[in-house]
Amino acid sequence: KTSTLWSIPSASREYVGLRISALTACAMLEQTGKLKKGETVLITAAAGGAGHFAVQFAKAAGCVVIGTCGSEKKAKMLKEELGCDHV
């Protein structure tokens, strides 16, 4: 949820890109998708900027997450580091 997001100390280049990706993912899941605990969510390009955040938001909401990506290296990261249930 947006209430669990963190404060950014300054608007440096590194943080600005993260903010846009995180807010995009959050808005799509919470506002457009009306995400609910227990749902199964498909996140395309899950290893990309907004996808990376979408996986984390969906998992934090208690959803089953299916992520798509373009390589075995990214698939491993999605499973092992972000916790995708299926890749």
Side-chain angles (χ1 to χ4, degrees):
K1 296 207 175 249
T2 52
S3 62
T4 63
L5 297 177
W6 61 95
S7 296
I8 294 175
S10 65
S12 67
R13 279 183 272 158
E14 295 82 7
Y15 290 125
V16 172
L18 292 174
R19 184 174 180 215
I20 292 167
S21 295
L23 290 175
T24 298
C26 190
M28 292 304 103
L29 292 173
E30 286 187 8
Q31 302 301 313
T32 304
K34 307 290 187 216
L35 192 63
K36 293 180 184 73
K37 183 177 181 176
E39 292 183 318
T40 299
V41 179
L42 171 65
I43 300 173
T44 59
H52 197 277
F53 282 102
V55 169
Q56 294 177 72
F57 288 140
K59 289 302 294 179
C63 296
V64 174
V65 177
I66 303 168
T68 67
C69 62
S71 74
E72 288 299 319
K73 182 178 178 182
K74 290 177 182 178
K76 183 177 178 180
M77 182 272 299
L78 289 173
K79 287 279 267 184
E80 295 177 5
E81 295 178 32
L82 294 185
C84 273
D85 298 293
H86 307 281
V87 180

mmCIF file of all heavy atoms in Angstrom, residues 7-42:
data_model
loop_
_atom_site.group_PDB
_atom_site.id
_atom_site.type_symbol
_atom_site.label_atom_id
_atom_site.label_comp_id
_atom_site.label_asym_id
_atom_site.label_seq_id
_atom_site.Cartn_x
_atom_site.Cartn_y
_atom_site.Cartn_z
ATOM 1 N N SER A 7 10.268 7.561 2.571
ATOM 2 C CA SER A 7 10.626 8.930 2.217
ATOM 3 C C SER A 7 11.967 8.935 1.502
ATOM 4 O O SER A 7 12.870 8.169 1.858
ATOM 5 C CB SER A 7 10.749 9.801 3.464
ATOM 6 O OG SER A 7 9.516 9.908 4.098
ATOM 7 N N ILE A 8 12.097 9.786 0.530
ATOM 8 C CA ILE A 8 13.352 9.935 -0.202
ATOM 9 C C ILE A 8 14.006 11.224 0.283
ATOM 10 O O ILE A 8 13.368 12.278 0.285
ATOM 11 C CB ILE A 8 13.098 9.985 -1.721
ATOM 12 C CG1 ILE A 8 12.560 8.628 -2.173
ATOM 13 C CG2 ILE A 8 14.364 10.340 -2.471
ATOM 14 C CD1 ILE A 8 12.165 8.567 -3.614
ATOM 15 N N PRO A 9 15.273 11.154 0.697
ATOM 16 C CA PRO A 9 15.922 12.322 1.289
ATOM 17 C C PRO A 9 16.102 13.502 0.335
ATOM 18 O O PRO A 9 16.037 14.653 0.748
ATOM 19 C CB PRO A 9 17.279 11.794 1.758
ATOM 20 C CG PRO A 9 17.486 10.510 1.042
ATOM 21 C CD PRO A 9 16.140 9.980 0.682
ATOM 22 N N SER A 10 16.337 13.228 -0.948
ATOM 23 C CA SER A 10 16.500 14.311 -1.917
ATOM 24 C C SER A 10 16.145 13.779 -3.305
ATOM 25 O O SER A 10 16.153 12.579 -3.540
ATOM 26 C CB SER A 10 17.944 14.829 -1.918
ATOM 27 O OG SER A 10 18.814 13.812 -2.360
ATOM 28 N N ALA A 11 15.842 14.667 -4.217
ATOM 29 C CA ALA A 11 15.423 14.274 -5.561
ATOM 30 C C ALA A 11 16.623 14.094 -6.486
ATOM 31 O O ALA A 11 16.756 14.755 -7.498
ATOM 32 C CB ALA A 11 14.458 15.307 -6.123
ATOM 33 N N SER A 12 17.506 13.187 -6.139
ATOM 34 C CA SER A 12 18.662 12.915 -7.002
ATOM 35 C C SER A 12 18.234 12.023 -8.163
ATOM 36 O O SER A 12 17.163 11.421 -8.145
ATOM 37 C CB SER A 12 19.775 12.242 -6.207
ATOM 38 O OG SER A 12 19.365 10.956 -5.807
ATOM 39 N N ARG A 13 19.058 11.933 -9.189
ATOM 40 C CA ARG A 13 18.749 11.121 -10.372
ATOM 41 C C ARG A 13 18.423 9.680 -10.007
ATOM 42 O O ARG A 13 17.518 9.078 -10.575
ATOM 43 C CB ARG A 13 19.923 11.127 -11.342
ATOM 44 C CG ARG A 13 19.973 12.360 -12.206
ATOM 45 C CD ARG A 13 21.106 12.255 -13.180
ATOM 46 N NE ARG A 13 22.282 12.806 -12.493
ATOM 47 C CZ ARG A 13 23.529 12.552 -12.789
ATOM 48 N NH1 ARG A 13 23.816 11.749 -13.770
ATOM 49 N NH2 ARG A 13 24.508 13.093 -12.119
ATOM 50 N N GLU A 14 19.150 9.123 -9.073
ATOM 51 C CA GLU A 14 18.959 7.738 -8.698
ATOM 52 C C GLU A 14 17.566 7.483 -8.116
ATOM 53 O O GLU A 14 16.942 6.476 -8.383
ATOM 54 C CB GLU A 14 20.015 7.297 -7.675
ATOM 55 C CG GLU A 14 21.435 7.289 -8.211
ATOM 56 C CD GLU A 14 22.105 8.664 -8.198
ATOM 57 O OE1 GLU A 14 21.536 9.630 -7.661
ATOM 58 O OE2 GLU A 14 23.207 8.761 -8.744
ATOM 59 N N TYR A 15 17.098 8.416 -7.317
ATOM 60 C CA TYR A 15 15.804 8.242 -6.665
ATOM 61 C C TYR A 15 14.628 8.578 -7.572
ATOM 62 O O TYR A 15 13.565 7.983 -7.446
ATOM 63 C CB TYR A 15 15.712 9.100 -5.400
ATOM 64 C CG TYR A 15 16.590 8.626 -4.273
ATOM 65 C CD1 TYR A 15 17.499 9.471 -3.674
ATOM 66 C CD2 TYR A 15 16.494 7.330 -3.792
ATOM 67 C CE1 TYR A 15 18.298 9.043 -2.622
ATOM 68 C CE2 TYR A 15 17.286 6.893 -2.748
ATOM 69 C CZ TYR A 15 18.185 7.757 -2.162
ATOM 70 O OH TYR A 15 18.954 7.320 -1.132
ATOM 71 N N VAL A 16 14.776 9.523 -8.454
ATOM 72 C CA VAL A 16 13.661 9.961 -9.293
ATOM 73 C C VAL A 16 13.136 8.807 -10.149
ATOM 74 O O VAL A 16 11.935 8.579 -10.228
ATOM 75 C CB VAL A 16 14.048 11.176 -10.159
ATOM 76 C CG1 VAL A 16 12.964 11.495 -11.166
ATOM 77 C CG2 VAL A 16 14.304 12.377 -9.267
ATOM 78 N N GLY A 17 14.028 8.053 -10.774
ATOM 79 C CA GLY A 17 13.605 6.918 -11.584
ATOM 80 C C GLY A 17 12.886 5.860 -10.773
ATOM 81 O O GLY A 17 11.891 5.286 -11.209
ATOM 82 N N LEU A 18 13.378 5.608 -9.581
ATOM 83 C CA LEU A 18 12.733 4.632 -8.704
ATOM 84 C C LEU A 18 11.340 5.088 -8.316
ATOM 85 O O LEU A 18 10.400 4.292 -8.285
ATOM 86 C CB LEU A 18 13.567 4.402 -7.446
ATOM 87 C CG LEU A 18 14.905 3.708 -7.646
ATOM 88 C CD1 LEU A 18 15.672 3.677 -6.324
ATOM 89 C CD2 LEU A 18 14.710 2.305 -8.177
ATOM 90 N N ARG A 19 11.208 6.354 -8.042
ATOM 91 C CA ARG A 19 9.918 6.889 -7.617
ATOM 92 C C ARG A 19 8.871 6.719 -8.708
ATOM 93 O O ARG A 19 7.746 6.301 -8.445
ATOM 94 C CB ARG A 19 10.081 8.359 -7.242
ATOM 95 C CG ARG A 19 8.822 8.968 -6.713
ATOM 96 C CD ARG A 19 9.083 10.373 -6.221
ATOM 97 N NE ARG A 19 7.842 10.925 -5.730
ATOM 98 C CZ ARG A 19 7.492 12.180 -5.835
ATOM 99 N NH1 ARG A 19 8.313 13.036 -6.402
ATOM 100 N NH2 ARG A 19 6.359 12.600 -5.366
ATOM 101 N N ILE A 20 9.230 7.017 -9.933
ATOM 102 C CA ILE A 20 8.290 6.888 -11.036
ATOM 103 C C ILE A 20 7.875 5.433 -11.213
ATOM 104 O O ILE A 20 6.691 5.118 -11.342
ATOM 105 C CB ILE A 20 8.891 7.463 -12.335
ATOM 106 C CG1 ILE A 20 9.029 8.984 -12.197
ATOM 107 C CG2 ILE A 20 8.048 7.098 -13.548
ATOM 108 C CD1 ILE A 20 9.883 9.625 -13.270
ATOM 109 N N SER A 21 8.830 4.521 -11.198
ATOM 110 C CA SER A 21 8.528 3.091 -11.354
ATOM 111 C C SER A 21 7.657 2.578 -10.217
ATOM 112 O O SER A 21 6.694 1.841 -10.434
ATOM 113 C CB SER A 21 9.819 2.285 -11.421
ATOM 114 O OG SER A 21 10.549 2.608 -12.566
ATOM 115 N N ALA A 22 8.000 2.948 -8.998
ATOM 116 C CA ALA A 22 7.240 2.479 -7.831
ATOM 117 C C ALA A 22 5.820 3.027 -7.839
ATOM 118 O O ALA A 22 4.860 2.289 -7.593
ATOM 119 C CB ALA A 22 7.952 2.876 -6.544
ATOM 120 N N LEU A 23 5.658 4.294 -8.123
ATOM 121 C CA LEU A 23 4.323 4.878 -8.137
ATOM 122 C C LEU A 23 3.469 4.321 -9.270
ATOM 123 O O LEU A 23 2.265 4.126 -9.111
ATOM 124 C CB LEU A 23 4.401 6.400 -8.221
ATOM 125 C CG LEU A 23 4.931 7.079 -6.958
ATOM 126 C CD1 LEU A 23 5.088 8.585 -7.183
ATOM 127 C CD2 LEU A 23 4.013 6.820 -5.771
ATOM 128 N N THR A 24 4.081 4.049 -10.415
ATOM 129 C CA THR A 24 3.364 3.436 -11.527
ATOM 130 C C THR A 24 2.834 2.067 -11.114
ATOM 131 O O THR A 24 1.651 1.755 -11.305
ATOM 132 C CB THR A 24 4.277 3.291 -12.766
ATOM 133 O OG1 THR A 24 4.685 4.585 -13.180
ATOM 134 C CG2 THR A 24 3.564 2.577 -13.901
ATOM 135 N N ALA A 25 3.699 1.241 -10.547
ATOM 136 C CA ALA A 25 3.291 -0.096 -10.113
ATOM 137 C C ALA A 25 2.203 -0.025 -9.046
ATOM 138 O O ALA A 25 1.201 -0.741 -9.108
ATOM 139 C CB ALA A 25 4.498 -0.862 -9.585
ATOM 140 N N CYS A 26 2.391 0.831 -8.086
ATOM 141 C CA CYS A 26 1.437 0.968 -6.989
ATOM 142 C C CYS A 26 0.072 1.429 -7.502
ATOM 143 O O CYS A 26 -0.960 0.862 -7.139
ATOM 144 C CB CYS A 26 1.984 1.949 -5.959
ATOM 145 S SG CYS A 26 1.046 1.995 -4.440
ATOM 146 N N ALA A 27 0.056 2.429 -8.362
ATOM 147 C CA ALA A 27 -1.201 2.947 -8.901
ATOM 148 C C ALA A 27 -1.936 1.879 -9.712
ATOM 149 O O ALA A 27 -3.148 1.721 -9.588
ATOM 150 C CB ALA A 27 -0.935 4.172 -9.762
ATOM 151 N N MET A 28 -1.200 1.137 -10.531
ATOM 152 C CA MET A 28 -1.848 0.123 -11.367
ATOM 153 C C MET A 28 -2.427 -1.013 -10.529
ATOM 154 O O MET A 28 -3.533 -1.478 -10.792
ATOM 155 C CB MET A 28 -0.870 -0.444 -12.401
ATOM 156 C CG MET A 28 -0.449 0.553 -13.468
ATOM 157 S SD MET A 28 -1.842 1.275 -14.376
ATOM 158 C CE MET A 28 -1.954 2.896 -13.622
ATOM 159 N N LEU A 29 -1.710 -1.453 -9.518
ATOM 160 C CA LEU A 29 -2.207 -2.555 -8.696
ATOM 161 C C LEU A 29 -3.303 -2.127 -7.736
ATOM 162 O O LEU A 29 -4.326 -2.793 -7.610
ATOM 163 C CB LEU A 29 -1.055 -3.194 -7.914
ATOM 164 C CG LEU A 29 -0.026 -3.946 -8.750
ATOM 165 C CD1 LEU A 29 1.140 -4.382 -7.879
ATOM 166 C CD2 LEU A 29 -0.650 -5.137 -9.440
ATOM 167 N N GLU A 30 -3.109 -1.019 -7.046
ATOM 168 C CA GLU A 30 -4.075 -0.595 -6.030
ATOM 169 C C GLU A 30 -5.276 0.142 -6.613
ATOM 170 O O GLU A 30 -6.408 -0.140 -6.255
ATOM 171 C CB GLU A 30 -3.392 0.313 -5.005
ATOM 172 C CG GLU A 30 -2.489 -0.425 -4.060
ATOM 173 C CD GLU A 30 -1.959 0.469 -2.950
ATOM 174 O OE1 GLU A 30 -2.407 1.624 -2.819
ATOM 175 O OE2 GLU A 30 -1.082 0.004 -2.221
ATOM 176 N N GLN A 31 -5.036 1.100 -7.493
ATOM 177 C CA GLN A 31 -6.124 1.930 -8.002
ATOM 178 C C GLN A 31 -6.863 1.282 -9.172
ATOM 179 O O GLN A 31 -8.081 1.178 -9.154
ATOM 180 C CB GLN A 31 -5.584 3.308 -8.423
ATOM 181 C CG GLN A 31 -4.889 4.060 -7.317
ATOM 182 C CD GLN A 31 -5.789 4.305 -6.115
ATOM 183 O OE1 GLN A 31 -6.923 4.729 -6.258
ATOM 184 N NE2 GLN A 31 -5.283 4.016 -4.924
ATOM 185 N N THR A 32 -6.113 0.851 -10.168
ATOM 186 C CA THR A 32 -6.740 0.272 -11.350
ATOM 187 C C THR A 32 -7.147 -1.180 -11.106
ATOM 188 O O THR A 32 -8.265 -1.579 -11.429
ATOM 189 C CB THR A 32 -5.786 0.347 -12.564
ATOM 190 O OG1 THR A 32 -5.414 1.709 -12.756
ATOM 191 C CG2 THR A 32 -6.444 -0.169 -13.820
ATOM 192 N N GLY A 33 -6.250 -1.972 -10.544
ATOM 193 C CA GLY A 33 -6.511 -3.394 -10.355
ATOM 194 C C GLY A 33 -7.296 -3.755 -9.114
ATOM 195 O O GLY A 33 -7.790 -4.868 -8.994
ATOM 196 N N LYS A 34 -7.406 -2.839 -8.163
ATOM 197 C CA LYS A 34 -8.106 -3.113 -6.898
ATOM 198 C C LYS A 34 -7.616 -4.424 -6.270
ATOM 199 O O LYS A 34 -8.381 -5.308 -5.915
ATOM 200 C CB LYS A 34 -9.617 -3.171 -7.103
ATOM 201 C CG LYS A 34 -10.207 -1.972 -7.793
ATOM 202 C CD LYS A 34 -10.162 -0.748 -6.918
ATOM 203 C CE LYS A 34 -10.935 0.389 -7.595
ATOM 204 N NZ LYS A 34 -10.364 1.675 -7.383
ATOM 205 N N LEU A 35 -6.302 -4.545 -6.154
ATOM 206 C CA LEU A 35 -5.621 -5.741 -5.674
ATOM 207 C C LEU A 35 -6.167 -6.204 -4.327
ATOM 208 O O LEU A 35 -6.367 -5.397 -3.417
ATOM 209 C CB LEU A 35 -4.128 -5.418 -5.541
ATOM 210 C CG LEU A 35 -3.162 -6.548 -5.338
ATOM 211 C CD1 LEU A 35 -3.176 -7.469 -6.549
ATOM 212 C CD2 LEU A 35 -1.776 -6.003 -5.118
ATOM 213 N N LYS A 36 -6.409 -7.530 -4.216
ATOM 214 C CA LYS A 36 -6.910 -8.104 -2.978
ATOM 215 C C LYS A 36 -6.080 -9.328 -2.592
ATOM 216 O O LYS A 36 -5.609 -10.075 -3.454
ATOM 217 C CB LYS A 36 -8.371 -8.514 -3.139
ATOM 218 C CG LYS A 36 -9.316 -7.348 -3.317
ATOM 219 C CD LYS A 36 -10.740 -7.837 -3.471
ATOM 220 C CE LYS A 36 -11.695 -6.704 -3.742
ATOM 221 N NZ LYS A 36 -11.589 -6.171 -5.075
ATOM 222 N N LYS A 37 -5.935 -9.543 -1.302
ATOM 223 C CA LYS A 37 -5.192 -10.686 -0.777
ATOM 224 C C LYS A 37 -5.755 -11.978 -1.357
ATOM 225 O O LYS A 37 -6.970 -12.142 -1.483
ATOM 226 C CB LYS A 37 -5.299 -10.709 0.751
ATOM 227 C CG LYS A 37 -4.513 -11.815 1.391
ATOM 228 C CD LYS A 37 -4.603 -11.749 2.899
ATOM 229 C CE LYS A 37 -3.767 -12.858 3.510
ATOM 230 N NZ LYS A 37 -3.748 -12.775 4.967
ATOM 231 N N GLY A 38 -4.843 -12.876 -1.726
ATOM 232 C CA GLY A 38 -5.244 -14.179 -2.242
ATOM 233 C C GLY A 38 -5.423 -14.249 -3.748
ATOM 234 O O GLY A 38 -5.554 -15.335 -4.302
ATOM 235 N N GLU A 39 -5.442 -13.105 -4.415
ATOM 236 C CA GLU A 39 -5.584 -13.108 -5.871
ATOM 237 C C GLU A 39 -4.299 -13.596 -6.535
ATOM 238 O O GLU A 39 -3.219 -13.525 -5.953
ATOM 239 C CB GLU A 39 -5.905 -11.703 -6.394
ATOM 240 C CG GLU A 39 -7.265 -11.207 -6.004
ATOM 241 C CD GLU A 39 -7.589 -9.852 -6.581
ATOM 242 O OE1 GLU A 39 -6.722 -8.959 -6.597
ATOM 243 O OE2 GLU A 39 -8.739 -9.684 -7.020
ATOM 244 N N THR A 40 -4.433 -14.063 -7.766
ATOM 245 C CA THR A 40 -3.278 -14.412 -8.579
ATOM 246 C C THR A 40 -3.042 -13.273 -9.550
ATOM 247 O O THR A 40 -3.970 -12.831 -10.230
ATOM 248 C CB THR A 40 -3.514 -15.724 -9.341
ATOM 249 O OG1 THR A 40 -3.719 -16.771 -8.388
ATOM 250 C CG2 THR A 40 -2.329 -16.077 -10.225
ATOM 251 N N VAL A 41 -1.810 -12.785 -9.588
ATOM 252 C CA VAL A 41 -1.467 -11.613 -10.393
ATOM 253 C C VAL A 41 -0.387 -11.986 -11.402
ATOM 254 O O VAL A 41 0.626 -12.582 -11.034
ATOM 255 C CB VAL A 41 -0.944 -10.477 -9.477
ATOM 256 C CG1 VAL A 41 -0.560 -9.256 -10.283
ATOM 257 C CG2 VAL A 41 -1.972 -10.122 -8.424
ATOM 258 N N LEU A 42 -0.611 -11.630 -12.670
ATOM 259 C CA LEU A 42 0.398 -11.812 -13.711
ATOM 260 C C LEU A 42 1.094 -10.477 -13.930
ATOM 261 O O LEU A 42 0.433 -9.468 -14.214
ATOM 262 C CB LEU A 42 -0.246 -12.270 -15.020
ATOM 263 C CG LEU A 42 0.684 -12.287 -16.236
ATOM 264 C CD1 LEU A 42 1.797 -13.322 -16.055
ATOM 265 C CD2 LEU A 42 -0.101 -12.552 -17.507
#
